[in-house]
Amino acid sequence: MSHTAHIRSHRKPRRNASTVAVRAGVAGGVLSTLAVAGASAQASAAEPVTQTLELPTLTADLATQIAQSADATQQAAANYQLRAERDAAAAKAAKEAKSDLADAKKEAKAKAEAKRKAEAARKTAEAASRSSDRTTLASTASTATSTSSSTATGSAAAVVAFVKAQVGKAYVSGATGPSAYDCSGLVQTAFKQVGISLPRVSQDQSTAGTQVSLSNLQPGDILYWGSAGSAYHVGVYVGDGMFVGAQNPSSGVVERPLSYDPPSGAVRVL
């Protein structure tokens, strides 16, 4: 064996072929990049870059936008003012309408109150007039009693006797006896006893004979309430200031003084 066999060699180990090739490729790429950069730098130095900005165009567009914005703002302000004016006008109209309504209510209330007072005054006057008429009629009836015959004779006596005999019987509308009567039914039936045929209803009975004054009444005369030809109630004068009539469902056939319900007029058929 050689005496140098165990001594390590100080020579660098050989690189394999693939490693050398990779490193050579990397170096070549770096050099290529540097070359391109240098060329670009030379080109930049030789031909300076110019940049054109279309400032006028941008400025015009901006001005247009500003103008449009200003117009929009102005229009919005005008719309707001118009809306405010409309709201104010509507509020004013509503206030005026409310005021007019209040005035109308006051006026209507005043008219209603005046109408009520006028109606009350009219009723008072009518009541006073009726009271005066009743007093006059009562006085007239009293005079009639003192100046006319109080004793019935002949057919009149028969009529008086019949109606007095019916006192206390019931009042029934449309009835003509013998157990119940209405006002004209009683008068018609009474005169039928002496052979006199009278109309059925009070309106016609009030014009069936000769009109006589209440100051000249005689027993057997037909009394009526209301106007002649449109009377609403009839009865028979029986003398001494008294009359007999079928008054109403609650009273029936009664005998009452003329002052109880003074009649409007009288007719004589006997």
Side-chain angles (χ1 to χ4, degrees):
M1 177 180 293
S2 174
H3 64 276
T4 63
H6 295 289
I7 300 174
R8 300 181 62 178
S9 176
H10 293 282
R11 296 173 60 187
K12 294 181 179 180
R14 294 183 180 179
R15 298 184 177 89
N16 57 35
S18 60
T19 300
V20 173
V22 169
R23 291 183 175 179
V26 172
V30 172
L31 292 175
S32 297
T33 300
L34 292 174
V36 171
S40 297
Q42 290 177 359
S44 297
E47 297 180 4
V49 177
T50 59
Q51 183 178 4
T52 303
L53 296 177
E54 297 180 359
L55 293 178
T57 301
L58 292 176
T59 302
D61 291 342
L62 183 59
T64 300
Q65 292 177 0
I66 293 173
Q68 291 176 348
S69 177
D71 291 341
T73 302
Q74 185 176 3
Q75 184 63 40
N79 292 337
Y80 178 80
Q81 182 178 1
L82 179 60
R83 187 161 54 248
E85 290 176 352
R86 289 178 178 175
D87 291 344
K92 182 179 179 181
K95 184 176 180 181
E96 291 177 351
K98 185 176 181 181
S99 177
D100 292 342
L101 180 61
D103 292 341
K105 286 182 177 180
K106 289 181 180 179
E107 184 177 357
K109 185 177 181 180
K111 288 182 177 179
E113 182 66 16
K115 184 178 180 181
R116 185 188 65 78
K117 290 182 178 179
E119 183 67 15
R122 183 185 65 80
K123 289 181 177 180
T124 301
E126 288 181 354
S129 177
R130 283 195 298 268
S131 178
S132 176
D133 291 343
R134 287 177 182 272
T135 301
T136 301
L137 287 171
S139 176
T140 301
S142 178
T143 301
T145 301
S146 62
T147 59
S148 63
S149 173
S150 296
T151 303
T153 59
S155 296
V159 169
V160 169
F162 178 84
V163 295
K164 284 189 174 184
Q166 310 312 307
V167 172
K169 292 185 178 181
Y171 176 99
V172 176
S173 179
T176 57
S179 59
Y181 300 90
D182 64 10
C183 64
S184 56
L186 175 64
V187 173
Q188 184 187 49
T189 303
F191 280 86
K192 188 180 292 185
Q193 308 306 307
V194 295
I196 296 176
S197 178
L198 291 178
R200 174 64 183 83
V201 296
S202 58
Q203 291 91 333
D204 296 333
Q205 290 177 2
S206 65
T207 58
T210 302
Q211 297 286 328
V212 295
S213 170
L214 294 176
S215 62
N216 191 32
L217 292 175
Q218 293 181 1
D221 288 345
I222 299 173
L223 305 175
Y224 63 84
W225 286 256
S227 301
S230 60
Y232 59 85
H233 184 63
V234 289
V236 176
Y237 181 65
V238 295
D240 297 325
M242 305 292 288
F243 74 93
V244 172
Q247 293 298 98
N248 51 59
S250 62
S251 299
V253 180
V254 296
E255 184 176 1
R256 294 283 189 271
L258 293 176
S259 59
Y260 169 77
D261 188 13
S264 304
V267 291
R268 184 171 297 157
V269 295
L270 296 175

